[in-house]
């Protein structure tokens, strides 16, 4: 039994040393992708979005844009669509561990990755700004984890917090 324990401990130490070397050589983010798989960078089309059986995402969408059932309806803003985009980008600049990874300026759709503080797990947030009649605007936001089964409400809370942090209010 003592011998089995030593062998098991030796294997564990070897794995941990291997992980530490991989992280040191290629970085935490790349090591995660090698161990858990690459991040799905497929562009989101809100009009055809199929969320499947996911339980680690959050979708906020106006009624007339998304094919998938949204968790909450999007707010409508009195500001023009380009102003809302600019306010969003200003708010994003203040968020920790967020990077812009894709942008379609013509469609006013942007993808961001925010990584968790400790383990650097990536979540992708796609936002699309939509013009409304009368000069107002709204948006669709799809926030999702790439790894795991549940997100413990992190994606919903992120969207709520980001909307509350918009310059000029919501």
């Amino acid at each position: 039994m003592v011998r089995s324990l030593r062998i098991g401990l030796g294997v564990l130490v070897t794995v941990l040393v291997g992980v530490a070397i991989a992280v040191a050589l290629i970085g935490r983010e790349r090591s995660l992708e090698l161990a858990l798989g690459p991040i799905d960078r497929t562009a989101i089309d809100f009009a055809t979005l199929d969320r499947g059986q996911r339980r680690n995402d959050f979708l906020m969408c106006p009624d007339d844009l998304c094919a998938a059932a949204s968790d909450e309806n999007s707010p409508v803003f009195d500001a023009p669509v380009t102003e809302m985009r600019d306010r969003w980008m200003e708010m994003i600049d203040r968020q920790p561990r967020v990077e812009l990874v894709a942008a379609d300026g013509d469609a006013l759709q942007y993808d961001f990755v925010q990584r968790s503080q400790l383990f650097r797990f990536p979540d992708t947030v796609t936002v699309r700004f939509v013009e409304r009649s009368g000069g107002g605007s709204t948006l669709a936001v799809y926030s999702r984890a790439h790894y795991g089964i549940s997100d413990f409400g992190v994606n919903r809370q992120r969207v709520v917090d980001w909307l509350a942090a918009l310059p000029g209010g919501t």
Side-chain angles (χ1 to χ4, degrees):
M1 176 150 147
V2 172
R3 183 168 188 233
S4 296
L5 185 59
R6 284 184 183 162
I7 291 172
L9 189 57
V11 168
L12 178 62
V13 168
T14 302
V15 168
L16 291 176
V17 168
V19 168
I21 290 171
V23 168
L25 292 176
I26 61 176
R28 263 195 288 193
E29 288 86 0
R30 185 73 181 120
S31 297
L32 275 174
E33 288 187 26
L34 288 174
L36 301 174
I39 297 173
D40 181 4
R41 300 231 189 248
T42 306
I44 295 296
D45 180 357
F46 286 99
T48 61
L49 178 63
D50 178 6
R51 296 170 68 187
Q53 299 299 312
R54 296 181 71 101
R55 295 290 174 252
N56 56 355
D57 68 346
F58 178 78
L59 177 63
M60 177 181 279
C61 202
D63 288 333
D64 58 349
L65 181 64
C66 293
S70 63
D71 298 302
E72 288 186 26
N73 287 331
S74 298
V76 176
F77 306 98
D78 290 332
V81 69
T82 55
E83 180 182 324
M84 286 311 303
R85 182 213 42 220
D86 294 346
R87 287 166 60 186
W88 181 274
M89 294 303 193
E90 183 181 333
M91 176 274 303
I92 285 294
D93 285 343
R94 295 189 309 268
Q95 301 306 311
R97 302 171 312 280
V98 175
E99 66 177 305
L100 175 66
V101 295
D104 182 344
D106 293 336
L108 295 173
Q109 184 164 312
Y110 304 87
D111 290 307
F112 305 91
V113 170
Q114 183 173 43
R115 294 189 176 273
S116 63
Q117 186 170 0
L118 183 59
F119 293 110
R120 309 289 291 170
F121 290 127
D123 288 355
T124 297
V125 181
T126 301
V127 61
R128 182 174 190 146
F129 300 92
V130 181
E131 190 170 6
R132 287 292 187 223
S133 61
S137 59
T138 188
L139 48 73
V141 185
Y142 185 43
S143 182
R144 61 221 177 263
H146 290 280
Y147 306 125
I149 298 169
S150 175
D151 69 347
F152 305 102
V154 169
N155 285 292
R156 179 189 183 286
Q157 193 60 53
R158 173 186 299 115
V159 173
V160 168
D161 290 346
W162 284 8
L163 285 172
L166 282 173
T170 51

